[in-house]
């Protein structure tokens, strides 16, 4: 018999089964065996965290920090206070001729710090002579050159045909910039440095020797610095563009409200109420470095070490180094 156009000779089959649910949408706990027993029980996936911890404790990890600021702002003392050890070279140990260098000569010191079985290879890069001259034109060039040299060294190791299993990481993960406690506005030197360096490294500004300011002067100075950074579109760490989820945005938002941290460094212990505390002794009492009521050094330590150390390394690798890598590969591909 002739059929109508578009019809089929085969009889239509009507399925009584419900439509299939995509595999990715099926909840694992809903799948059961014929006897009503769940197929998915305890697997032990969280043991991966223990494996990562054991591997990290065996191999250790690297952290590279740079301190930038004029002489006499307490950069070496602050680094020693951060890690509670003599990890930074003291200026008093140098000769009179080396104490005031004519140019910015970067000095890197590497130590291996161990705490509760965790080893960290810490590299501290100091910049003596930055901003000390009468003419400070282009005084940031050696610092930019040093940071890019570390990116270039890592890139060279990465593109080798036979490369190392673990590439030595000398890239600068964080740059702490010390602002002089003038109580006024940021100097053009401070603005220009942070504008240039924030594009290639994580910059954390701090107010050095904050004990020279009253609480009212400190609050006004901090507000003026925040206005200057916003006016000149300088993005310091933690950058708002890199917040991944609402929790990070809320935490980093509270940190950004308090940046720059008003810090006080001290590497000597004093007796206060029967306890040994790090602080600076004055005629009016002892300024406790680790007391949040006295200064904001605990906030800086928590940011650099306890809460955001891995994030500093991730942003350095995924953002700053990636930008340098793309630029260098594009230059090498040009005829």
């Amino acid at each position: 018999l002739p059929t109508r156009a578009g019809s089929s000779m085969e009889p239509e089959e009507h399925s009584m089964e419900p439509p299939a649910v995509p595999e990715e949408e099926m909840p694992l706990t809903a799948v059961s065996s014929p006897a009503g027993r769940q197929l998915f029980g305890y697997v032990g996936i969280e043991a991966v965290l223990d494996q990562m911890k054991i591997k990290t404790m065996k191999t250790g990890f690297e952290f590279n920090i740079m301190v930038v600021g004029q002489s006499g702002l307490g950069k070496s003392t602050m680094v020693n206070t951060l890690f509670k050890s003599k990890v930074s070279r003291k200026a008093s140990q140098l000769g009179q001729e080396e104490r005031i260098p004519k140019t910015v000569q970067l000095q890197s010191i590497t130590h291996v710090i161990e705490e509760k079985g965790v080893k960290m290879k810490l590299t501290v890069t100091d910049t003596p002579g930055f901003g000390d001259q009468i003419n400070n034109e282009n005084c940031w060039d050696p610092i930019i050159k040093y940071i890019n040299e570390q990116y270039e060294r890592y890139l060279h190791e990465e593109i080798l045909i036979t490369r190392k299993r673990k590439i030595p990481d000398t890239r600068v993960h964080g740059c702490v910039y010390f602002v002089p406690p003038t109580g006024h506005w940021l100097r053009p030197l401070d603005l220009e440095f942070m504008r240039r360096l924030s594009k290639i490294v994580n910059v954390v500004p701090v107010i050095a020797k904050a004990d020279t300011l009253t609480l009212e002067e400190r609050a006004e100075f901090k507000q003026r610095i925040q206005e200057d950074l916003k006016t000149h579109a300088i993005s310091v760490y933690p950058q708002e563009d890199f917040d991944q989820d609402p929790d990070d945005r809320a935490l980093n938002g509270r940190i950004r409200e308090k940046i720059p941290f008003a810090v006080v460094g001290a590497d000597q212990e004093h007796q206060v109420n029967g306890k040994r505390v790090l602080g600076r002794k004055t005629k009016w009492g002892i300024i406790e470095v680790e007391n949040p009521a006295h200064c904001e050094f605990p906030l800086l330590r928590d940011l650099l070490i306890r809460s955001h150390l891995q994030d500093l390394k991730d942003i350095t690798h995924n953002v700053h180094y990636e930008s340098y890598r793309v630029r260098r590969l594009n230059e090498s591909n040009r005829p």
Side-chain angles (χ1 to χ4, degrees), residues 3-21:
T3 59
R4 292 177 296 175
S7 63
S8 175
M9 292 293 295
E10 298 180 359
E12 298 180 3
E13 294 181 2
H14 298 279
S15 176
M16 300 301 294
E17 298 180 359
V21 180

Side-chain angles (χ1 to χ4, degrees), residues 51-80:
Q51 299 174 29
M52 297 172 62
K53 179 180 178 181
I54 294 173
K55 186 175 181 180
T56 303
M57 290 181 67
K58 287 182 179 179
T59 60
F61 60 96
E62 299 160 320
F63 185 61
N64 308 316
I65 187 173
M66 173 183 284
V67 288
V68 181
Q70 289 182 345
S71 301
L73 292 181
K75 300 187 298 296
S76 301
T77 304
M78 178 58 60
V79 173
N80 293 337

Side-chain angles (χ1 to χ4, degrees), residues 85-135:
S85 58
K86 304 292 183 179
V87 297
S88 184
R89 183 184 291 117
K90 282 289 185 181
S92 59
Q93 298 175 354
L94 302 177
Q96 182 67 25
E97 297 179 357
E98 299 177 350
R99 195 174 303 175
I100 306 177
K102 297 181 180 180
T103 59
V104 180
Q105 299 174 355
L106 278 72
Q107 303 171 353
S108 295
I109 310 171
T110 301
H111 295 271
V112 177
I113 302 177
E114 184 174 354
E115 183 181 29
K116 294 183 179 181
V118 181
K119 294 181 180 180
M120 180 177 70
K121 184 179 179 182
L122 172 68
T123 301
V124 179
T125 304
D126 197 358
T127 56
F130 175 82
D132 290 350
Q133 310 304 316
I134 297 177
N135 182 10

Side-chain angles (χ1 to χ4, degrees), residues 13-291:
E13 294 181 2
H14 298 279
S15 176
M16 300 301 294
E17 298 180 359
V21 180
E23 185 177 354
E24 64 272 12
E25 295 180 4
M26 296 179 64
L28 298 180
T29 56
V31 181
S32 303
S33 63
R37 183 177 55 191
Q38 290 187 354
L39 293 178
F40 296 90
Y42 175 76
V43 178
I45 301 176
E46 72 271 11
V48 177
L49 297 176
D50 297 333
Q51 299 174 29
M52 297 172 62
K53 179 180 178 181
I54 294 173
K55 186 175 181 180
T56 303
M57 290 181 67
K58 287 182 179 179
T59 60
F61 60 96
E62 299 160 320
F63 185 61
N64 308 316
I65 187 173
M66 173 183 284
V67 288
V68 181
Q70 289 182 345
S71 301
L73 292 181
K75 300 187 298 296
S76 301
T77 304
M78 178 58 60
V79 173
N80 293 337
T81 311
L82 275 174
F83 300 98
K84 292 187 176 180
S85 58
K86 304 292 183 179
V87 297
S88 184
R89 183 184 291 117
K90 282 289 185 181
S92 59
Q93 298 175 354
L94 302 177
Q96 182 67 25
E97 297 179 357
E98 299 177 350
R99 195 174 303 175
I100 306 177
K102 297 181 180 180
T103 59
V104 180
Q105 299 174 355
L106 278 72
Q107 303 171 353
S108 295
I109 310 171
T110 301
H111 295 271
V112 177
I113 302 177
E114 184 174 354
E115 183 181 29
K116 294 183 179 181
V118 181
K119 294 181 180 180
M120 180 177 70
K121 184 179 179 182
L122 172 68
T123 301
V124 179
T125 304
D126 197 358
T127 56
F130 175 82
D132 290 350
Q133 310 304 316
I134 297 177
N135 182 10
N136 292 307
E137 184 178 2
N138 298 330
C139 62
W140 46 77
D141 285 347
I143 301 175
I144 296 177
K145 180 182 178 182
Y146 175 83
I147 295 175
N148 288 331
E149 283 177 352
Q150 310 316 309
Y151 290 150
E152 183 67 27
R153 181 179 302 179
Y154 192 91
L155 177 62
H156 177 73
E157 294 288 342
E158 193 178 44
I159 63 178
L160 291 176
I161 297 177
T162 304
R163 57 185 181 182
K164 301 177 182 178
R165 185 175 181 181
K166 183 180 180 182
I167 301 176
D169 190 4
T170 60
R171 299 169 297 181
V172 179
H173 300 129
C175 175
V176 181
Y177 186 78
F178 287 71
V179 178
T182 60
H184 302 291
W185 303 89
L186 285 176
R187 302 170 302 171
L189 175 63
D190 303 327
L191 292 171
E192 188 63 22
F193 174 85
M194 287 190 282
R195 185 185 69 83
R196 291 174 180 267
L197 267 293
S198 61
K199 299 177 181 178
I200 61 174
V201 73
N202 298 313
V203 178
V204 181
V206 298
I207 301 175
K209 293 190 174 182
D211 53 332
T212 60
L213 301 172
T214 64
L215 296 180
E216 292 78 9
E217 292 173 344
R218 182 191 304 179
E220 293 178 0
F221 190 34
K222 180 179 296 189
Q223 184 177 0
R224 291 172 181 172
I225 293 177
Q226 292 176 353
E227 293 175 359
D228 279 344
L229 295 176
K230 186 176 181 180
T231 302
H232 294 83
I234 299 174
S235 180
V236 297
Y237 185 84
Q239 298 90 338
E240 191 172 357
D241 298 338
F242 303 149
D243 294 340
Q244 297 181 354
D245 51 52
D247 293 337
D248 291 345
R249 193 175 300 110
L251 173 62
N252 293 338
R254 292 192 296 268
I255 295 175
R256 282 187 285 266
E257 291 176 356
K258 298 183 178 181
I259 282 182
F261 299 126
V263 298
V264 177
D267 51 7
Q268 294 183 357
E269 291 185 344
H270 300 278
Q271 194 82 12
V272 177
N273 297 328
K275 296 181 180 180
R276 303 291 295 180
V277 298
L278 287 172
R280 293 172 58 87
K281 189 175 181 180
T282 65
K283 293 182 179 180
W284 304 274
I286 295 177
I287 303 171
E288 301 177 25
V289 171
E290 297 179 322
N291 190 344

